[in-house]
Amino acid sequence: MLHEIAPHRLNNEFCKREPKAQDCLIVFDGNRTLLKKEGDNYVVPKVGEMPKCACHYLLSVDDVAYFLADDFKSVLNADGSAPAEFEFCVNRIFRGMKNPLERFGGVTSAHIAKWESLNKFCGRCGNPMVRGENERSMVCANCKNTVYPRISPVVIVAVHNGDELLMARNLDHPDKSRLFLISGFVEIGESLEQAAAREVFEEAGVRIKNIKYFGSEPWPFSESLISGFTAELDGDSTIHMQESELATACWIHRKDIPPYDTSVSISCAMIESFRNSRF
């Protein structure tokens, strides 16, 4: 999965340090991150490759630190264009990066960058926010309102009925060639297990039982923490698909599921686990 980089280590504790030329620089414009195209791959630019700019430390993967440019416009050309060989990309592009350490470090940094960009002004009094001095936070200089990074809880559920797995694809999913699992955000007042049962019933119209924890994964692409569960069908297997959410939903036999790459998502890891008869 995305965060499984051992024996390498993500160091995300708050601290202050100075950038080095070989460190990575995140340049975020509010929606996209500036990346360098290298053949059929994208990489995060190095501090030494970009015009000198004010920046602050975010995190590090082993000895490689990631810094965020305080003002993305400071690295642009005079006409407002990106430097040669660089382009602004949506954060989903990180999923395809060949280097798993840079993929995880880059998108986790972009998660923090997006949070900072959404908290420039205080939600209580409207005054400008500043970065906290002793912890990762945004603080209002006027009313002292303090905001911490947003992490939204999500559940994903592998529902099985004997040798069949409930698989689906969201309407807005960019990969139209494969099926995945039912998932959704946890509502206020719900437990994770309650959210799992609700999402499956809302989107597929079936009930589940014997809900068991599978694992979790940080998912910076939607500022989420995903909790994975397996569950058994409870009762009628007839699918009543929520057409406002899903493009398709169906039961797929274990032997008909193709291999899935588990290096990025917990969804693929859960599908592979079922395909290989681990539950």
Side-chain angles (χ1 to χ4, degrees):
M1 292 183 279
L2 181 73
H3 65 292
E4 294 176 328
I5 58 173
H8 305 280
R9 182 173 180 269
L10 172 72
N11 304 292
N12 60 358
E13 65 275 8
F14 178 84
C15 70
K16 296 180 180 180
R17 52 192 286 187
E18 294 299 315
K20 300 176 182 177
Q22 67 271 25
D23 288 330
C24 292
L25 182 67
I26 297 294
V27 180
F28 189 72
D29 76 348
N31 290 298
R32 303 168 300 165
T33 303
L34 189 69
L35 300 175
K36 184 177 183 181
K37 187 72 181 293
E38 289 189 350
D40 61 350
N41 187 36
Y42 284 91
V43 298
V44 179
K46 303 297 184 184
V47 170
E49 294 178 309
M50 306 301 292
K52 188 174 181 179
C53 66
C55 59
H56 57 282
Y57 173 76
L58 298 179
L59 53 83
S60 60
V61 178
D62 292 342
D63 296 327
V64 179
Y66 287 75
F67 288 79
L68 174 62
D70 292 347
D71 180 3
F72 77 92
K73 295 179 181 178
S74 64
V75 305
L76 301 182
N77 297 322
D79 62 358
S81 62
E85 300 182 354
F86 295 88
E87 60 182 276
F88 281 101
C89 303
V90 295
N91 287 339
R92 193 174 183 85
I93 205 74
F94 282 102
R95 295 184 62 168
M97 280 187 171
K98 294 181 178 179
N99 184 334
L101 304 184
E102 192 165 327
R103 177 175 62 202
F104 185 42
V107 74
T108 303
S109 297
H111 179 175
I112 301 172
K114 184 174 181 180
W115 164 72
E116 284 195 16
S117 75
L118 293 174
N119 289 278
K120 297 293 186 184
F121 297 93
C122 178
R124 178 187 290 167
C125 71
N127 278 279
M129 303 281 272
V130 296
R131 287 187 298 277
E133 286 293 321
N134 302 306
E135 60 182 354
R136 181 162 287 133
S137 61
M138 298 294 287
V139 182
C140 177
N142 179 57
C143 72
K144 307 306 178 184
N145 177 36
T146 302
V147 179
Y148 297 97
R150 186 183 73 182
I151 304 172
S152 301
V154 168
V155 292
I156 188 165
V157 195
V159 182
H160 57 101
N161 179 24
D163 284 328
E164 291 186 321
L165 181 67
L166 178 60
M167 303 189 73
R169 183 172 60 249
N170 290 344
L171 286 171
D172 59 355
H173 200 288
D175 187 346
K176 307 302 182 186
S177 64
R178 295 189 299 169
L179 297 173
F180 297 93
L181 301 175
I182 300 290
S183 64
F185 288 95
V186 180
E187 299 289 351
I188 293 173
E190 281 186 323
S191 69
L192 297 175
E193 293 80 3
Q194 288 172 331
R198 174 186 55 78
E199 282 290 343
V200 172
F201 186 71
E202 283 182 355
E203 297 193 3
V206 298
R207 299 189 183 280
I208 58 176
K209 62 183 180 180
N210 297 332
I211 301 171
K212 298 180 180 179
Y213 179 70
F214 177 90
S216 64
E217 177 180 36
W219 196 243
F221 305 98
S222 58
E223 300 88 53
S224 306
L225 176 64
I226 303 177
S227 297
F229 295 90
T230 64
E232 297 178 29
L233 175 70
D234 184 12
D236 187 4
S237 65
T238 304
I239 293 173
H240 301 280
M241 188 179 74
Q242 186 180 25
E243 295 183 355
S244 61
E245 291 285 338
L246 300 181
T248 186
C250 54
W251 294 100
I252 303 293
H253 195 280
R254 202 187 303 270
K255 64 179 175 57
D256 295 324
I257 299 175
Y260 278 67
D261 178 7
T262 63
S263 65
V264 176
S265 76
I266 189 172
S267 178
C268 293
M270 295 173 74
I271 293 169
E272 270 295 281
S273 185
F274 176 81
R275 190 178 73 87
N276 290 296
S277 302
R278 298 194 185 103
F279 66 88

